[in-house]
Amino acid sequence: MIGCRCEIAPPTLLLAVAEQGDPEVRDAALRTLLTSAALRSRRSALGPVLRRFGLSPADLAFLPAQAPDTGPENTVYDVAGGEEAALPGRRVRGTTDPPSGDAAVDEAFDGAAATAAFYREVFARDSIDGRGLDLVSSVHFGQRYDNAFWTGDQMVYGDGGGGVFVAGGLTRALDVVAHELTHGVTQFSAGLQYRGQSGALNESFSDVFGVLVAQRAAGTDAASASWLVGEGTLEPSLGRALRSMIAPGTAYAGDDQPADMDAYADLPADDDPRNDNGGVHVNSGIPNRAFAEAARTLGGEAWETVGPVWYEVLTGGRLAPTAGFEDCAALTLTVAGERYGGGSAEQDAVRGGWEAVKVRLPADKR
Ligand SMILES: [Zn+2]
């Protein structure tokens, strides 16, 4: 489900059929026309079509809110070594365009499409904001820039090659792309503050759905998954991955993620980069491992078992922007009970995950 929706019938032909056909034919032609990628990419063109057929926007109720086999607009820009002031850069590839031949552009495009398809097909979520937000990515940020990020509006990818990431590694890893886009999902749902425990939860949800997007794309179940984030993106001398969800602290030499609350890093949320906004990339290992342990206990495909529980917690309106680990743990137990039943194997596995990382659970949920 990546790439263009290549339409064989030109819109002019469909218009002609719609104008001449009987009501049934007219409706079918209009439906095809109004859901076409060509028209969707120029929403301003909808008005004239509606007027021509004497329709109001309400008459389009028969259309799905988002045509099931298309997605939000997906556009990739080349910022050509520039930085923030130059974003987004030159437009290189849009939703229906063929591959550009620039690997970074095409990987960012495919990763965004695969992530949007995951949210649509697994959780019926229409893009990252749930309302069809267009996906914008910029590649070739900075000079040998060793990071990727979500700005609040778009994804940005450096080329790597600066000593941390292998050249091209950041766009090549689907879980990294999906991690960045999931920051957008969090921004538009729970809005977890990016500091301290709520920030570590924000990071963890991005890792959870980042690896689930990659696991689903590869058809990997919970038992055989590596539970590594960004595997193969680091310079090999540094280590094998950015993070390990199942064994936090083991992904690379110097990996400082704690595996449970006994090793929790109580860092100040100040401007010192060594403190990582109060350990958002450090303590995220704790909720990461709780998820991975629960998923492994249950087996099967994690996006079908524990994934929906975490998704409801993130997007269901009950997790506060300032939530800590215990708030999140309690809510996962509640949601697992709602979805699978109190005392179900799923709820037991979720409880076991939090117990493994020594996060305190409410007394009535033990
Ligand atoms: Zn992140």
Side-chain angles (χ1 to χ4, degrees):
M1 193 25 243
I2 287 165
C4 70
R5 165 170 158 160
C6 304
E7 287 158 322
I8 193 79
T12 46
L13 172 60
L14 291 163
L15 270 173
V17 169
E19 281 178 332
Q20 290 167 17
D22 63 40
E24 223 175 85
V25 172
R26 189 191 86 142
D27 281 355
L30 270 178
R31 186 180 292 247
T32 305
L33 186 64
L34 293 170
T35 55
S36 80
L39 197 61
R40 290 171 54 79
S41 67
R42 292 180 292 115
R43 282 164 205 260
S44 57
L46 269 174
V49 173
L50 292 178
R51 279 196 294 281
R52 190 155 165 185
F53 291 94
L55 299 170
S56 77
D59 292 318
L60 299 179
F62 67 87
L63 293 172
Q66 191 77 35
D69 57 342
T70 64
E73 295 298 316
N74 182 7
T75 313
V76 184
Y77 295 79
D78 180 358
V79 68
E83 299 193 347
E84 272 85 350
L87 287 174
R90 180 176 63 91
R91 186 181 185 281
V92 178
R93 186 172 175 191
T95 313
T96 56
D97 294 338
S100 70
D102 178 326
V105 168
D106 295 328
E107 287 161 354
F109 180 95
D110 290 346
T115 304
F118 173 89
Y119 279 109
R120 183 172 65 249
E121 291 162 14
V122 179
F123 299 125
R125 184 179 187 83
D126 183 7
S127 189
I128 59 174
D129 66 342
R131 305 170 59 114
L133 185 78
D134 292 345
L135 304 172
V136 177
S137 309
S138 294
V139 300
H140 303 311
F141 180 89
Q143 301 295 328
R144 298 189 179 209
Y145 187 76
D146 266 332
N147 220 335
F149 56 97
W150 164 255
T151 66
D153 295 309
Q154 67 162 101
M155 286 77 64
V156 180
Y157 302 93
D159 290 326
V164 178
F165 291 97
V166 294
L170 287 161
T171 45
R172 205 178 301 140
L174 178 57
D175 56 357
V176 171
V177 174
H179 173 110
E180 296 313 325
L181 277 161
T182 300
H183 279 309
V185 173
T186 299
Q187 174 184 325
F188 289 107
S189 55
L192 289 159
Q193 290 182 7
Y194 203 64
R195 62 202 301 276
Q197 282 197 14
S198 60
L201 288 172
N202 189 320
E203 269 302 313
S204 179
F205 278 109
S206 272
D207 279 350
V208 164
F209 291 106
V211 300
L212 291 186
V213 169
Q215 285 177 13
R216 183 169 180 266
T220 308
D221 65 15
S224 52
S226 69
W227 295 102
L228 294 170
V229 177
E231 187 171 12
T233 61
L234 292 179
E235 289 290 350
S237 59
L238 292 177
R240 57 194 174 135
L242 270 177
R243 287 182 281 280
S244 169
M245 293 182 63
I246 197 72
T250 66
Y252 61 92
D255 182 352
D256 55 359
Q257 283 207 314
D260 61 40
M261 288 302 288
D262 288 349
Y264 181 82
D266 198 2
L267 297 164
D270 57 17
D271 290 336
D272 186 335
R274 288 172 301 182
N275 293 329
D276 185 31
N277 288 314
V280 299
H281 295 90
V282 178
N283 294 315
S284 57
I286 292 169
N288 274 358
R289 185 177 160 216
F291 180 90
E293 296 277 2
R296 268 208 183 165
T297 298
L298 288 170
E301 294 168 331
W303 62 93
E304 299 284 1
T305 57
V306 202
V309 173
W310 256 243
Y311 180 76
E312 168 61 23
V313 168
L314 180 64
T315 62
R318 286 181 274 180
L319 191 67
T322 54
F325 292 176
E326 291 180 16
D327 304 316
C328 182
L331 191 51
T332 61
L333 284 175
T334 300
V335 170
E338 290 167 0
R339 185 178 178 91
Y340 297 110
S344 59
E346 288 84 357
Q347 194 188 41
D348 285 348
V350 169
R351 182 184 298 104
W354 292 112
E355 285 174 351
V357 297
K358 303 180 184 177
V359 168
R360 198 160 38 151
L361 297 168
D364 63 332
K365 298 269 174 48
R366 275 175 204 276

